[in-house]
Amino acid sequence: MADGQRPPDRTLEALLKEDRRFDPPGDFRRLAHVTDPAVHAQAEEDFLGFWASFATELDWIREWDRVLEWEPPHARWFVGGRINICANCLDRHVRGPRRNKVAIVWEGEPGERRTLTYWDLFQDVCRFASVLKSLGVRKGDRVAMYMPLIPELAIAMLACARIGAVHNVVFGGFSAESLRDRISDSGAKLLVTADGGYRRGSIIPLKRIADEAVEACPSIQSVVLVKRADLPVDMRRGRDHWWHHLMEQATPECEAEAMDAEDMLFLLYTSGTTGKPKGIVHTTAGYLVGVYATTKWVFDLRDEDVYWCTADIGWVTGHSYVVYGPLANGATVVMYEGAPDWPRRDRFWEIAERTGTTVFYTAPTAIRAFMKWGTEHPARHDLSRLRLLGTVGEPINPEAWVWYYKHIGGERCPVVDTWWQTETGQIMITPLPGITSLRPGSASRPFPGIRAEIFDDEGRAVKVGGGYLVLSRPWPAMLRNIYGDPERYVKQYWSRFSGVYFTGDGARVDEEGNFWLLGRVDDVLNVAGHRIGTMEVESALVDHPAVAEAAVVGIEHEIKGTAIAAFVTLKEKSAQPGDEAGPPSAAGQALAEQLKEHVTKKIGALARPEVIILTADLPKTRSGKIMRRLLRDIASGKALGDTTTLADPAVIETLKQKYEEAG
Ligand code: PRX
C-alpha cells in the first residue's frame, strides 16, 4: 500500500483470527424484506432494472426516460425525470394512513421532549419553505445550516428540498473559521443557526460563533435563528430574524418544486488529502432512490419500527439515515440532541427503552465507550424491543461487535456493519439482515446492484486478498462533483485507476466474498468516526506563530479508534522547548497545550491532537520530504521500517526517545 495511513495492527490481527459466525434468528429470517439470497444475482443480471424497481415505489412528477447515462466519470440517473424529495418524505405520507403517524420523537439534552407527526412536520416544513422564499431564497441558492440536533434542522433541510434550494449543513462542533470557509466556498445566501445547543451539560454558543464566521462572508444576506438555549444574542437589524417570529407569520401553503432528477440537493463538506475540505455535490433523484432502497433493506424497516440513528445531522449519516432515508420510508425517527453520558451513562438506553426503539444505528467509537463504561448501564433498561443493530463510520473490532451483539442486542438482533462514505451518499457494503451470515469485523458484501472490488497497485482485481477498495460501477446516490472544482473531482476519485472510483480505503476480501475494511490508505484520519485530513491539522499548527513545521499521524486509541499525534518543530532555533533531551519541560508542556487549543480554535474540538511532540528536527529524505511512515512507526511503538533514505538517521533516535518520554 502507499505511504498513507495504515490500519491499526490490532485490527488486522484480530480480523485475521476472527472466524465466528452469527446467522439471522429464524423469526427475523422469515419476516425480513429480503429472504432470498438470489437478490444479489438478480440485481447483477439487470442492475438498472434493480434500481428502477425501487424508483417506481416513489412519487414522480414526471417519469424518467433513461435510468442511467454514464460517461465516466460523470453519471446522470433517472434522466428526464422530475421529482421532489420533500414531497416523497412528507406529502406522500400525509395523503395516506401515515398522516398522524409519529415522524420524529425528539429529546433535548436537558430532557425536553417533542413529538411531531407527519402532518405536523409537513406543516412546519411548508411554513419554513415559505419563510425561505420570503427572504429571497430561490431554486439553486445555497443555504447554510449550523445547528444543534433539533427538529428545526430537519425542517430547514426539507424546506430547502421543497423549493429547490441547496442545503449545506455544517456540523455544530466546527469552529468559526471552518464554518466561514464552508459558507464562503458554497456562496450561501442565508444561514440558519440557533442561539446555542446543549452538549454534556454546557451550552455551545452557536450564534456567537456564527457571527464571527459571517463577518467574513459577504454572500450571507439573512440569518435565521432558532431560540433553543435562551442565550443572550446580538441581533443584527435587517439581517437576523427569529425563527419563531417568521414561522408565526408564514403560510403553510407551499407547492413542492418539480426538480429535475439531476438538480443539486445538497452540498456537504468533507476532508480530503489537502488542507481544503471538499464540497461534495449530491443531486436529487438518484440520491433519494439510493437512500430509500438501502434504508428499507439494510434496516429491514417496517411501519411499526421505531428507528434511531444516533449520528449528528451535520454528517452524511445524519443526512441519509436520520432525515431522508427513514422519512422517505415513512418511519418513526428518534432524535436526541446531546451526549450519551449526560447526565448518566445510561442516557441512550433510557431513551431506547422509553421510545421503544426497535432499530438502533450507531458508531464503533460509541460502542467502545459503552464497553468501557460497563454492562450495568444497558442492563438497567428493558431493551427487549430492539430487533436490529447497526454500525457505521469506522472499522469495528470484533470484540466491540460481539459486545454490542450480546449486551445491547441480547444475542437476538443481527448487527449490520455498513461501509460507505460522504461521497457514496448511501450504504454500499453491508449485510442484509435476513440472509447474511454475520462475521464480526466484516461489512460482508456489496449491496445488490453495487460492484465493489479490491485492486492491487497496478489496478488488477484481487479475487481473494488485500488491496485498495474501488467501486467499479456507478450507483444512484453517488457524488456528482466537488463543488466549484471539477478537476479535483476527477483527480481525487477517478484517476488512481482509470474509470473506477477510488475510495481511499484499504480492504481485504475473503474466499466467501466478504469484505473486511482496514481503514484509510491516504492522508485522511478517521478520529472517532470523524474524517479529518492530516494536512488540515498540519495547516492549523503551522498557522501558530511559534511553529515552523508540523507532521501529523494517526495513533491507536482505545475508544476513538484513531487519535491524532503531531510532531512539531519551532521557528526560533535557539533554546527552544523542543531542543532539550529528556522529558518535556514545563515550558514545552505549556506550549503543547497552547497548540492543542490553537487547532481546536482553527478547526474544532474534533481535530484536537492527543499528543504533541516538540522536536528540533523531523525525519526527512535527502530531498527534504518528511517521512511520515517513520513517524507512524515511532508513534505506534513499532520497529522502524526502512530508514535507508533518511537524510539524518540520528533524528529518529532522538524522536523515539522523546515520544516514549512524553508517555
Ligand atoms: O474509511 C471509511 C470509514 O469512513 C470513511 C468515510 O467517512 P465519511 O465520509 O465521514 O462517512 C462516514 C459515514 C458513512 C470511509 O472511507 N468507514 C465508514 N464506514 C465504515 C468505515 N470503515 C470501516 N467499516 C465501516 N463500516
Side-chain angles (χ1 to χ4, degrees), residues 268-271 280 311 315-318 321 361 364 391-396 416-427 429-430 441-443 469 501 503-506 515-522 524-526 529-532:
L268 186 59
Y269 284 80
T270 189
S271 295
I280 303 299
W315 306 110
V316 74
T317 307
Y321 299 107
Y361 188 34
T391 84
V392 59
E394 350 145 38
I396 182 163
V416 289
D417 172 2
T418 63
W419 177 90
W420 59 294
Q421 306 178 303
T422 305
E423 291 87 342
T424 70
Q426 64 176 85
I427 291 170
I429 304 181
T430 176
S442 168
L469 178 65
Y501 171 88
T503 62
D505 276 22
F515 285 72
W516 302 77
L517 276 303
L518 300 173
R520 303 287 305 194
V521 294
D522 55 7
V524 170
L525 301 176
N526 194 327
H530 301 323
R531 199 159 140 182
I532 298 163

Side-chain angles (χ1 to χ4, degrees), residues 312-521:
D312 192 282
I313 296 177
W315 306 110
V316 74
T317 307
H319 284 58
S320 299
Y321 299 107
V322 177
V323 180
Y324 290 115
L327 295 179
N329 277 279
T332 294
V333 177
V334 177
M335 286 183 193
Y336 165 58
E337 177 189 32
D341 55 351
W342 190 266
R344 295 192 320 186
R345 290 177 164 177
D346 64 346
R347 185 68 185 270
F348 271 17
W349 317 124
E350 189 213 312
I351 295 173
E353 177 177 11
R354 187 161 24 73
T355 56
T357 297
T358 58
V359 178
F360 181 77
Y361 188 34
T362 196
T365 290
I367 299 167
R368 288 189 292 262
F370 302 146
M371 271 174 87
K372 195 163 177 210
W373 296 341
T375 51
E376 64 271 28
H377 304 292
R380 265 206 295 280
H381 296 278
D382 176 7
L383 301 177
S384 61
R385 281 181 55 95
L386 282 173
R387 62 181 200 92
L388 178 65
L389 301 174
T391 84
V392 59
E394 350 145 38
I396 182 163
N397 42 315
E399 197 195 348
W401 193 106
V402 171
W403 187 92
Y404 191 35
Y405 179 79
K406 219 165 148 175
H407 296 288
I408 306 302
E411 298 184 66
R412 91 193 156 261
C413 308
V415 175
V416 289
D417 172 2
T418 63
W419 177 90
W420 59 294
Q421 306 178 303
T422 305
E423 291 87 342
T424 70
Q426 64 176 85
I427 291 170
M428 302 296 282
I429 304 181
T430 176
L432 291 174
I435 58 174
T436 305
S437 181
L438 302 165
R439 309 280 311 272
S442 168
S444 38
R445 294 174 61 180
F447 189 82
I450 300 296
R451 186 176 289 161
E453 292 181 84
I454 304 296
F455 274 17
D456 68 11
D457 256 319
E458 274 74 53
R460 284 179 302 240
V462 175
K463 290 292 164 222
V464 175
Y468 303 101
L469 178 65
V470 302
L471 302 167
S472 44
R473 181 198 273 157
W475 63 100
M478 66 194 280
L479 78 166
R480 300 300 197 266
N481 219 328
I482 292 177
Y483 192 70
D485 201 348
E487 275 167 36
R488 189 173 176 196
Y489 168 73
V490 176
K491 188 157 170 273
Q492 177 81 52
Y493 301 111
W494 302 93
S495 300
R496 177 69 179 82
F497 304 110
S498 136
V500 305
Y501 171 88
F502 178 53
T503 62
D505 276 22
R508 188 169 66 80
V509 67
D510 67 18
E511 296 76 10
E512 294 169 27
N514 288 315
F515 285 72
W516 302 77
L517 276 303
L518 300 173
R520 303 287 305 194
V521 294

Side-chain angles (χ1 to χ4, degrees), residues 89-90 93 97-106 114-119 121 295 299 301-310 321-336 351-352 354-361 385 387:
C89 290
L90 301 176
H93 306 312
R98 291 188 184 124
R99 181 186 178 96
N100 294 318
K101 178 177 173 175
V102 173
I104 296 177
V105 189
W106 175 83
R114 281 166 65 189
T115 302
L116 283 88
T117 63
Y118 271 92
W119 176 252
L121 188 60
T295 306
F299 301 113
L301 215 54
R302 51 193 69 254
D303 246 321
E304 55 278 23
D305 274 317
V306 176
Y307 166 94
W308 183 12
C309 164
T310 67
Y321 299 107
V322 177
V323 180
Y324 290 115
L327 295 179
N329 277 279
T332 294
V333 177
V334 177
M335 286 183 193
Y336 165 58
I351 295 173
R354 187 161 24 73
T355 56
T357 297
T358 58
V359 178
F360 181 77
Y361 188 34
R385 281 181 55 95
R387 62 181 200 92

